[in-house]
Amino acid sequence: MKNPHQQAARPGHWAPYHDVDTREQDPSVVASVLSDLAGDGAALELGIGTGHVALPLAEWGTPVFGLDTSQEVISRLEERQEQTAEGCSPVQARIGDMAQFALGTHYPLVYVIASAIFLLTNQKDQVSCFRSAAKHLTPRGRFVVEAAVPHVSGMASDRQQMIVRELSEEHLKWSAFVHDPVHQVVRAQDVLVGPDGCRLTPRVMRYAYPAELDLMAQLAGLRLERRTADWEGSPFTATSTHHVSVYSHQSAEENTSPPTGASACPSLDKLQHMCEELT
């Protein structure tokens, strides 16, 4: 497999099959939630793909601009948009790195879904993604991250794993994984064998737990506003397999006001005064 940091070459492998692989997924609930968050403004999608969510979001009246690393994927998006009904809001996309981008525009909504943030294969790039997103938010804007909650206990011990995904009289689909727990990187190859031959779709992902993503948000000047287990708003619990996390700017009050309650810490001046009293 290619160097794990050369992600730009991989979406081209997925482009011809992306619509087939997502045909049973209904994006209407996702589009509805994102439309509410965008309000009357536009949205920026990082890793827009072939428009599985962007196009339904545009049907809700939200203009969408997207970034992706693959021209093949963007071309497929443009073909799909030509087939959509007239009257929808525009969807535009261009080649771009979601770790570092400067568009000169602010959005009430920036979002990255379907664990696409894990396609940035090192922590530095993931932190940079949060910072870039924060710079493109309006003062009351939100950055939405949807991702899987890592459950790698079995892979942590095996380091390598193979899973059969589908099995029928006509085809067989399986996935092979190599896990690097030190860097939280999983290299995978999805294999589909059927009447049309053999198809390989490689993936490299650097997973991160929700708490780590929250820290990345703090480094970018954002705070966790809410987290649910899915787009329907189910509570996030210890057994949740996915999360939808909504981040917003830290307000001036949050940056300057001391914390309150049992966890409040004394100020430096107060600590110094306490030390003087003790001595």
Side-chain angles (χ1 to χ4, degrees):
M1 191 178 288
K2 298 178 182 179
N3 186 301
H5 299 293
Q6 296 177 336
Q7 287 287 64
R10 294 193 177 90
H13 291 278
W14 311 332
Y17 316 109
H18 188 273
D19 296 338
V20 175
D21 292 343
T22 59
R23 66 178 179 269
E24 296 183 0
Q25 301 174 11
D26 182 3
S28 59
V29 175
V30 182
S32 175
V33 173
L34 293 176
S35 178
D36 288 342
L37 289 171
D40 295 331
L44 171 63
E45 179 172 357
L46 309 180
I48 193 170
T50 61
H52 177 66
V53 169
L55 292 173
L57 180 55
E59 292 179 1
W60 277 85
T62 300
V64 182
F65 186 81
L67 297 178
D68 208 287
T69 58
S70 169
Q71 184 57 55
E72 291 89 345
V73 168
I74 292 177
S75 296
R76 177 58 186 147
L77 166 63
E78 293 171 346
E79 292 174 3
R80 291 188 63 192
Q81 186 172 24
E82 291 177 357
Q83 301 168 5
T84 58
E86 295 183 2
C88 295
S89 295
V91 176
Q92 297 178 320
R94 80 176 197 190
I95 297 291
D97 180 1
M98 67 178 174
Q100 294 183 338
F101 56 93
L103 305 177
T105 308
H106 293 87
Y107 299 87
L109 174 66
V110 180
Y111 65 95
V112 54
I113 58 178
S115 300
I117 194 168
F118 296 166
L119 296 176
L120 299 172
T121 55
N122 59 73
Q123 187 184 66
K124 179 181 177 181
D125 283 349
Q126 291 175 351
V127 171
S128 180
C129 177
F130 271 84
R131 286 176 170 157
S132 295
K135 291 177 181 177
H136 288 76
L137 288 178
T138 59
R140 296 182 178 274
R142 273 88 167 230
F143 179 39
V144 178
V145 178
E146 180 209 9
V149 177
H151 291 283
V152 294
S153 56
M155 292 186 65
S157 58
D158 297 338
R159 300 294 176 90
Q160 300 181 24
Q161 197 173 67
M162 189 170 294
I163 300 175
V164 175
R165 301 287 189 185
E166 297 176 12
L167 176 63
S168 74
E169 296 290 335
E170 297 183 349
H171 74 274
L172 170 64
K173 182 178 181 180
W174 74 90
S175 299
F177 301 88
V178 177
H179 179 214
D180 176 4
V182 174
H183 299 98
Q184 297 175 202
V185 172
V186 176
R187 301 170 61 195
Q189 183 72 269
D190 292 339
V191 184
L192 176 63
V193 179
D196 297 329
C198 180
R199 159 188 144 190
L200 301 176
T201 48
R203 290 176 290 133
V204 177
M205 307 185 82
R206 194 267 174 186
Y207 60 86
Y209 293 91
E212 185 182 0
L213 296 175
D214 293 348
L215 182 57
M216 294 180 189
Q218 291 182 41
L219 293 173
L222 302 174
R223 65 178 180 88
L224 179 66
E225 185 176 300
R226 64 180 180 273
R227 171 172 290 135
T228 58
D230 51 38
W231 293 100
E232 285 79 10
S234 302
F236 181 77
T237 68
T239 59
S240 298
T241 60
H242 290 75
H243 67 95
V244 178
S245 300
V246 180
Y247 299 96
S248 57
H249 283 296
Q250 297 175 0
S251 67
E253 290 78 10
E254 288 171 325
N255 289 329
T256 58
S257 299
T260 59
S263 62
C265 297
S267 66
L268 257 173
D269 291 341
K270 189 172 182 179
L271 280 173
Q272 184 176 0
H273 181 66
M274 292 166 62
C275 290
E276 289 173 352
E277 287 183 343
L278 288 171
T279 57

